[in-house]
Structures are given as structure tokens and as C-alpha cells.
Amino acid sequence: VGGKGIVVIFLDVDNLKLVNDSQGHAAGDRMLVDVVSAIRKRVRSYDLVIRYGGDEFLCTLVDVAPADAASTIADIRRQYTAETGHSVSVGMTTVGDGDTADSVVARADAALYAERRKHDR
């Protein structure tokens, strides 16, 4: 198969619970709308973006090199933070030959938590 590969990104909206608890659910909902807007402005129409959980999104970028996916992530972060003052944590992985949907999601999720641990120090 040609192409550059498939990259899966696990994106978590930082501090959503804190905002919901301190400013109300309308403020938290606004954060979710804003992060989706930042994602949509940067991914392509044929990339898959789903809300995976309360504050988590899963993005699958097809025919993309990991370096280009990292650039996409950086752009999403920059735009979201510039527009809202909030941040997101992100984990990224590539899809390999023996992967299943579950294994890829688990690896992207693990990468997200590894990144979060680095920032919590």
C-alpha cells in the first residue's frame, strides 16, 4: 500500500472538570466546542475525528508522515491556547501492520498519559 501511513492522536482537554465545577457546564461545553473548532481548522475533511469520552477526542490522520502529524498537533494546540487560554494534552502513535483498533487506541492513550506525567513534574 502506498502512502505515508496512518497516525492516531488522542487529545484530552485539560482542566475540563475544574472549569465545569468552578464556572459551570456551559463554560465547559464552550471549551469542547472551541477544541473541536481548532481541530477542524487543521485536519483534512477525510481525517476521522470523534469524541471518545467526556473530554477526549480521537483523531485518525491518513496518508501522513509522523512529522507532519506532529506539526498538525502543534498547530491545534497553538490555536486552541491562543483563542481560549486553555490547553490540551496529546498522545500520538502510528498504525503498524499487526495493530488492531484497540491496540492503537491503547498506545495513543499511553502516550497521552506519558506526556501528562512529564508536564506534572
Side-chain angles (χ1 to χ4, degrees):
V1 178
K4 299 174 186 169
I6 300 170
V7 173
V8 175
I9 300 165
F10 213 107
L11 187 142
D12 186 276
V13 180
D14 295 333
N15 301 313
L16 179 64
K17 181 178 177 357
L18 178 68
V19 170
N20 277 338
D21 292 348
S22 64
Q23 300 174 34
H25 287 276
D29 290 349
R30 182 85 242 150
M31 289 175 71
L32 295 173
V33 169
D34 290 341
V35 80
V36 169
S37 175
I39 293 168
R40 281 187 174 160
K41 287 177 184 172
R42 190 53 182 84
V43 300
R44 302 158 301 183
S45 62
Y46 52 87
D47 291 321
L48 176 66
V49 178
I50 60 168
R51 185 173 179 191
Y52 192 78
D55 59 355
E56 300 167 330
F57 294 86
L58 195 63
C59 307
T60 302
L61 311 181
V62 296
D63 193 25
V64 66
D68 294 332
S71 177
T72 297
I73 291 168
D75 290 347
I76 291 167
R77 284 184 143 143
R78 225 181 346 264
Q79 179 168 348
Y80 180 66
T81 300
E83 291 180 1
T84 68
H86 296 288
S87 63
V88 294
S89 295
V90 179
M92 181 180 96
T93 192
T94 56
V95 176
D97 284 343
D99 274 322
T100 64
D102 287 341
S103 68
V104 172
V105 169
R107 211 165 48 247
D109 191 34
L112 170 103
Y113 282 98
E115 175 188 276
R116 188 168 278 151
R117 279 192 301 276
K118 280 191 277 186
H119 293 301
D120 289 345
R121 290 182 184 178

XYZ file of all heavy atoms in Angstrom, residues 4-10 43-44 47-49 58-73 90-96 99 104-105 107-108:
284
model
N 1.921 7.487 3.140
C 2.884 7.745 4.205
C 2.558 6.992 5.477
O 3.438 6.729 6.275
C 2.925 9.242 4.493
C 3.368 10.049 3.291
C 3.253 11.523 3.581
C 3.564 12.320 2.332
N 3.237 13.715 2.476
N 1.315 6.679 5.701
C 0.948 5.960 6.915
C -0.266 6.575 7.583
O -0.844 7.556 7.110
N -0.638 5.980 8.695
C -1.784 6.435 9.467
C -1.297 6.790 10.862
O -0.578 6.015 11.494
C -2.872 5.347 9.548
C -3.357 4.986 8.148
C -4.030 5.800 10.433
C -4.266 3.759 8.104
N -1.694 7.959 11.335
C -1.334 8.424 12.672
C -2.612 8.586 13.477
O -3.603 9.128 12.987
C -0.560 9.755 12.605
C -0.346 10.327 13.995
C 0.774 9.561 11.895
N -2.587 8.087 14.702
C -3.720 8.237 15.606
C -3.307 9.166 16.742
O -2.243 8.988 17.346
C -4.183 6.868 16.149
C -5.279 7.042 17.192
C -4.675 5.991 14.995
N -4.155 10.149 16.996
C -3.900 11.159 18.020
C -4.996 11.065 19.068
O -6.181 11.068 18.742
C -3.902 12.574 17.398
C -2.822 12.689 16.326
C -3.741 13.638 18.480
C -2.990 13.903 15.431
N -4.599 10.986 20.317
C -5.526 11.016 21.442
C -5.365 12.401 22.066
O -4.270 12.768 22.477
C -5.160 9.923 22.447
C -6.325 9.334 23.153
C -6.756 8.061 22.850
C -6.996 10.042 24.133
C -7.828 7.488 23.507
C -8.079 9.489 24.787
C -8.498 8.213 24.485
N -7.306 19.742 10.555
C -7.313 18.429 9.898
C -8.023 18.519 8.554
O -8.727 19.482 8.270
C -7.962 17.330 10.786
C -7.200 17.177 12.094
C -9.421 17.605 11.029
N -7.838 17.495 7.750
C -8.442 17.478 6.424
C -9.837 16.861 6.493
O -10.160 16.146 7.443
C -7.536 16.681 5.475
C -6.123 17.293 5.416
C -5.089 16.317 4.973
N -5.049 15.163 5.875
C -4.195 14.172 5.761
N -3.311 14.166 4.787
N -4.210 13.163 6.608
N -10.001 13.142 7.280
C -9.462 12.617 8.531
C -10.625 12.359 9.483
O -11.641 13.046 9.446
C -8.484 13.619 9.161
C -7.204 13.763 8.357
O -6.704 12.745 7.830
O -6.696 14.898 8.261
N -10.472 11.364 10.324
C -11.533 10.983 11.255
C -11.320 11.679 12.590
O -10.239 11.616 13.168
C -11.510 9.462 11.451
C -12.493 8.887 12.456
C -13.924 9.082 11.952
C -12.208 7.422 12.687
N -12.367 12.339 13.082
C -12.325 12.973 14.393
C -13.574 12.542 15.148
O -14.690 12.738 14.663
C -12.289 14.514 14.282
C -12.293 15.157 15.668
C -11.090 14.976 13.471
N -10.411 11.510 19.606
C -9.532 10.624 18.867
C -9.525 11.102 17.420
O -10.590 11.262 16.820
C -10.066 9.196 18.956
C -9.133 8.070 18.568
C -7.927 8.029 19.506
C -9.874 6.752 18.636
N -8.344 11.354 16.902
C -8.197 11.815 15.521
C -7.342 10.802 14.770
O -6.275 10.417 15.245
C -7.502 13.174 15.471
S -8.243 14.441 16.491
N -7.809 10.384 13.621
C -7.043 9.485 12.769
C -6.701 10.234 11.492
O -7.589 10.648 10.748
C -7.850 8.209 12.450
O -8.203 7.578 13.676
C -7.039 7.251 11.612
N -5.414 10.435 11.274
C -4.926 11.148 10.095
C -4.355 10.116 9.130
O -3.475 9.333 9.498
C -3.847 12.161 10.485
C -4.178 13.096 11.657
C -3.022 14.061 11.903
C -5.456 13.853 11.411
N -4.868 10.097 7.917
C -4.444 9.101 6.935
C -3.467 9.705 5.939
O -3.520 10.908 5.649
C -5.655 8.484 6.201
C -6.534 7.723 7.185
C -6.466 9.538 5.477
N -2.582 8.855 5.419
C -1.589 9.265 4.436
C -0.796 10.479 4.927
O -0.711 11.507 4.264
C -2.247 9.552 3.078
C -1.214 9.672 1.958
O -0.112 9.100 2.100
O -1.513 10.357 0.964
N -0.236 10.329 6.138
C 0.510 11.431 6.739
C 1.772 10.881 7.410
O 1.752 9.802 7.989
C -0.374 12.206 7.755
C -0.742 11.351 8.944
C 0.273 13.492 8.199
N 2.842 11.621 7.293
C 4.084 11.261 7.976
C 3.983 11.709 9.432
O 3.325 12.714 9.727
C 5.268 11.939 7.296
N 4.626 10.986 10.344
C 4.578 11.382 11.756
C 5.007 12.830 12.006
O 4.411 13.528 12.823
C 5.517 10.388 12.439
C 5.431 9.168 11.576
C 5.313 9.703 10.169
N 6.020 13.302 11.291
C 6.469 14.691 11.481
C 5.369 15.680 11.084
O 5.188 16.716 11.734
C 7.740 14.958 10.680
N 4.638 15.360 10.014
C 3.539 16.237 9.596
C 2.392 16.189 10.600
O 1.740 17.205 10.877
C 3.041 15.854 8.206
C 4.092 16.111 7.129
O 4.931 17.020 7.310
O 4.086 15.389 6.118
N 2.135 15.020 11.165
C 1.106 14.898 12.198
C 1.502 15.705 13.436
O 0.657 16.366 14.054
C 0.872 13.439 12.552
N 2.774 15.668 13.790
C 3.260 16.448 14.933
C 3.067 17.944 14.681
O 2.705 18.695 15.593
C 4.722 16.126 15.219
N 3.274 18.361 13.460
C 3.042 19.760 13.095
C 1.557 20.118 13.208
O 1.199 21.203 13.680
C 3.544 19.999 11.666
O 3.266 21.306 11.257
N 0.695 19.192 12.796
C -0.751 19.389 12.933
C -1.119 19.558 14.404
O -1.878 20.463 14.762
C -1.515 18.203 12.311
O -1.244 18.161 10.915
C -3.012 18.318 12.544
N -0.575 18.697 15.247
C -0.838 18.780 16.679
C -0.387 20.131 17.228
O -1.109 20.785 17.991
C -0.139 17.633 17.432
C -0.784 16.300 17.086
C -0.161 17.874 18.940
C 0.022 15.096 17.545
N -1.803 15.667 24.531
C -1.912 14.873 23.311
C -0.972 13.678 23.358
O 0.161 13.788 23.816
C -1.559 15.744 22.073
C -1.643 14.930 20.804
C -2.458 16.964 21.992
N -1.477 12.549 22.877
C -0.654 11.368 22.652
C -0.784 10.970 21.193
O -1.864 11.064 20.618
N 0.310 10.561 20.585
C 0.299 10.235 19.161
C 0.991 8.900 18.946
O 1.980 8.586 19.608
C 1.042 11.338 18.400
C 1.096 11.135 16.908
S 2.002 12.473 16.077
C 3.614 11.711 15.943
N 0.468 8.116 18.002
C 1.123 6.874 17.612
C 0.843 6.610 16.139
O -0.074 7.198 15.562
C 0.646 5.689 18.480
O 1.493 4.563 18.257
C -0.793 5.324 18.205
N 1.647 5.757 15.558
C 1.414 5.359 14.171
C 0.808 3.960 14.158
O 1.000 3.172 15.082
C 2.725 5.351 13.365
O 3.652 4.490 14.013
C 3.303 6.749 13.256
N 0.083 3.663 13.106
C -0.543 2.350 12.947
C 0.454 1.436 12.248
O 0.993 1.782 11.197
C -1.856 2.459 12.143
C -2.453 1.077 11.907
C -2.845 3.362 12.858
N 0.688 0.269 12.862
C 1.597 -0.717 12.292
C 0.844 -1.904 11.730
O -0.374 -2.028 11.884
N -1.421 -4.120 14.081
C -2.283 -3.377 15.000
C -3.759 -3.677 14.817
O -4.221 -3.976 13.720
C -2.075 -1.872 14.828
C -0.924 -1.346 15.659
O -0.751 -1.822 16.794
O -0.205 -0.452 15.169
N -4.015 0.301 18.926
C -3.606 1.655 18.535
C -4.144 2.684 19.527
O -3.426 3.584 19.969
C -4.070 1.972 17.099
C -3.827 3.428 16.757
C -3.366 1.070 16.110
N -5.418 2.552 19.896
C -6.012 3.486 20.857
C -5.287 3.381 22.198
O -4.976 4.400 22.830
C -7.529 3.238 21.009
C -8.097 4.012 22.182
C -8.255 3.615 19.727
N -2.187 2.511 22.749
C -0.855 3.113 22.623
C -0.938 4.638 22.597
O -0.135 5.335 23.225
C -0.168 2.570 21.369
C 1.302 2.495 21.500
C 2.000 1.655 20.455
N 1.597 1.904 19.089
C 0.934 1.027 18.326
N 0.599 -0.155 18.792
N 0.619 1.324 17.091
N -1.907 5.183 21.874
C -2.079 6.644 21.835
C -2.456 7.169 23.217
O -1.975 8.212 23.656
C -3.129 7.025 20.796
